Amino acid sequence: MDPMVILSSVEESAAGALKKAGATAKDILGVGITNHRESTVVWDKRTGKPLYDCVLWHDARTMETSNALKQKLGGQDALRSISGLPISSYFSGVKLRWLIDNVPDVRSGFERGTALFGTVDTWLAWNLTGGAGANPRHITDVTNASRTMMMNLESTEWSSEAVDALGLGLTTGGLPEIISSAEAMGIVSNGGALHGVALTSMLGDQQSAMVGQRCFSVGDAKTTYGSGAFLLMNAGTKPARSTHGLLSTALYKFGSWGPTHYAMEGAIASCAVGINWFRDNLKMLKEAPEISHLASQVETTDGLFFVPAFGGLLAPHWRDDARATLVGLSLAHDRRHVSRAVLEGIAFQVKEVVDAMAADTGTRLSTMRVDGGVSQSDPLLQYQADLLGVQVQRPANVETTALGAGIGAGLGAGLWNSLEDLSTSGGEIERSYTPSISEAAREEQCAAWSKAVKASMGWGHTQ
């Protein structure tokens, strides 16, 4: 994706929001950024021009780079003790290494000291606070930095050991400053709709959703169903290390003086991404929400399973070589069964992450809070409740990622002095979903799903 398009979309969105609210920049106390966390941009600090397209979080071109690093460093978990992350094509450090190895302009830019690296929050902040020819802020917050594989999770500083291990030593001068998630970060000075407004917060999208859901206590958890699906649990002020395929990540740090809070996370690569593939590539749907209508027309998939591993499987399997797989297909199946299998495939993957989280923490969830655009699918959330065996709760406002960005901006601007000052309104439950199948039926379905997952592995190119 063209980073300039990302930048212009932010400007258009800001102008549209102000117009809809009947407000101007002078009415805004602070603005927050929330973003896809691992997507990677490299640009020339002299001109402000990107040196390559933004390499998106689910881009699988970096798989060979990931495999080579695993082999060189001694396995998938070689950097987990530093970064909390396994080596995977998913994370920014691998994407940056791929760019250096495959894009001559990127390599030469870092060699000359003219290239800058950043996730999307960094790219936006640099441009919003002046860009080329000014004195912009080259910054990222702890939540986004924790997704690069280059940050020491405990110190929240760049790790020279991890940077060198990834073969990224020449990028050191082009890495952004790591700051908190809510503080005075600069003034928007790009001449656009938000000119003159203080930039006061940056949060990765999934951490922002946790803030929007007000998951501020240890053990609070939510699942966001967006482009991918992401389950996070608040782990407190010390990193929680996983032995069951989950991630340790920064959750938030409010104020430069505040403690860093951490989360345990399970990331699933395909949610809306997979649904949109059936709409756009197979033309099976006219609009994405139609999948829920079709799925609700059949009581079961009649033995059909869909594993949405388009670019591999993330948590808890971490198999870059897996590919999307439809198994159990017969002449009796039609697009209604496929639609249900697609939604059930999302729910099965979340179930795997919940089980891994329970194995790591020794605690099982009592309820599941959800959000994100795909959480508006009633059939999906019923399947999720059935597979988890717990109640699933959907708030009236499912766009909690945006809400979290607003809360972060208010904290950074001093609107609230602490989390205790926040209003408890905004988290009202719109609908709850209660399990409707037996434990025996649940175990039978999950056993069949495990067979489908195994069938999806080994199809991607590896070396």
Side-chain angles (χ1 to χ4, degrees), residues 37-38 90-92 143-149 247 249 265:
R37 300 166 294 177
E38 298 81 13
Y90 178 35
F91 301 111
S92 306
T143 67
N144 283 290
S146 72
R147 312 300 290 193
T148 64
M149 294 181 61
L247 310 177
T249 192
E265 175 177 341

Side-chain angles (χ1 to χ4, degrees), residues 12 20 33 37 67 112 169 190 252 309-310 353 369 442:
E12 291 170 8
K20 187 173 182 179
I33 293 172
R37 300 166 294 177
N67 289 332
R112 290 194 304 266
N190 66 342
Y252 56 78
F310 289 94
V353 170
R369 299 187 226 178
R442 185 176 302 117

Side-chain angles (χ1 to χ4, degrees), residues 35 139 247 271 322 368 381:
N35 57 286
I139 52 177
L247 310 177
C271 185
M368 172 62 74
L381 297 192

Side-chain angles (χ1 to χ4, degrees), residues 19-36:
K19 182 178 180 180
K20 187 173 182 179
T24 69
K26 293 181 180 179
D27 300 311
I28 307 300
L29 185 63
V31 64
I33 293 172
T34 186
N35 57 286
H36 284 165

Side-chain angles (χ1 to χ4, degrees), residues 137-213:
R137 296 294 308 277
H138 186 216
I139 52 177
T140 188
D141 88 301
V142 293
T143 67
N144 283 290
S146 72
R147 312 300 290 193
T148 64
M149 294 181 61
M150 295 186 285
M151 188 187 86
N152 183 300
L153 196 59
E154 294 191 8
S155 69
T156 66
E157 297 175 346
W158 297 121
S159 165
S160 59
E161 182 180 351
V163 170
D164 290 343
L166 292 167
L168 298 174
L170 60 84
T171 70
T172 302
L175 300 180
E177 175 189 359
I178 301 174
I179 63 173
S180 81
S181 309
E183 60 178 84
M185 300 177 179
I187 301 297
V188 177
S189 52
N190 66 342
L194 295 173
H195 189 82
V197 177
L199 175 61
T200 56
S201 179
M202 296 194 296
L203 282 161
D205 56 355
Q206 300 311 315
Q207 287 88 339
S208 188
M210 286 283 281
V211 173
Q213 289 267 33

Side-chain angles (χ1 to χ4, degrees), residues 9 24 46 51 75 82 93 109 126 133 135 173-174 187 201 223 240 286 292 299 305 325 334 365 378 457:
S9 71
T24 69
R46 301 166 300 177
L51 298 176
I82 299 172
W126 190 85
N135 187 29
I187 301 297
S201 179
T223 298
K286 290 183 179 179
S292 296
E299 293 186 3
F305 292 86
T325 306
D334 58 35
L365 295 179
D378 292 330
M457 296 176 178

Side-chain angles (χ1 to χ4, degrees), residues 209-274:
M210 286 283 281
V211 173
Q213 289 267 33
R214 293 166 173 78
C215 293
F216 299 132
S217 299
V218 175
D220 286 351
K222 65 86 198 174
T223 298
T224 295
Y225 300 88
S227 300
F230 302 88
L231 171 61
L232 277 76
M233 176 184 286
N234 188 321
T237 55
K238 292 185 178 181
R241 304 293 181 176
S242 174
T243 58
H244 293 85
L246 302 183
L247 310 177
S248 300
T249 192
L251 178 56
Y252 56 78
K253 178 181 180 180
F254 293 138
S256 57
W257 63 90
T260 301
H261 290 252
Y262 296 90
M264 186 170 284
E265 175 177 341
I268 297 163
S270 177
C271 185
V273 166

